[in-house]
Amino acid sequence: MLRRRGPARSLAAAGLAFAMVAGSCSIALVDGPPGMGEADHDPTGRYEGGVPCTSSRTWPIVDAVVLLATLVKVANYGEDQRDETLSGLLGAAAFGISAWIGHQRTSACRDARATAVR
């Protein structure tokens, strides 16, 4: 038996699906500093401080904002929406992990650049 869903529910489901596909920006778009044995500076001078990595926290902040928005949405689900709650919590976990990884990478980049300047 198929249940008909209202336009608001369909829109919310589409938004959640889009967020999960577009999510985890920090994992894909933030680069940490080079590891041991890799080139630790850029001789072309293209990168500030000579270290090719991402120091901007834009993407981790985007992940954190989407995490909070997802948690607010999940908090408003009713008891009869267990599937939506579970998928929302899994999406929130993905954004939280991505934000944490992005923050760690940008912190390591900032430390590497500070060390390279000295």
Side-chain angles (χ1 to χ4, degrees), residues 5-19 73 77 81 84 87:
R5 296 180 185 236
R9 258 183 115 172
S10 296
L11 185 60
L16 182 60
F18 175 76
K73 181 68 177 169
Y77 286 148
Q81 296 173 310
E84 290 88 349
S87 65

Side-chain angles (χ1 to χ4, degrees), residues 58-108:
T58 301
W59 293 116
I61 290 171
V62 168
D63 283 337
V65 168
V66 176
L67 161 69
L68 292 175
T70 304
L71 290 176
V72 168
K73 181 68 177 169
V74 168
N76 290 317
Y77 286 148
E79 289 184 22
D80 62 332
Q81 296 173 310
R82 290 180 185 228
D83 291 340
E84 290 88 349
T85 301
L86 179 60
S87 65
L89 290 175
L90 289 174
F95 283 109
I97 291 168
S98 179
W100 181 76
I101 289 172
H103 183 271
Q104 295 298 319
R105 288 178 181 172
T106 56
S107 294

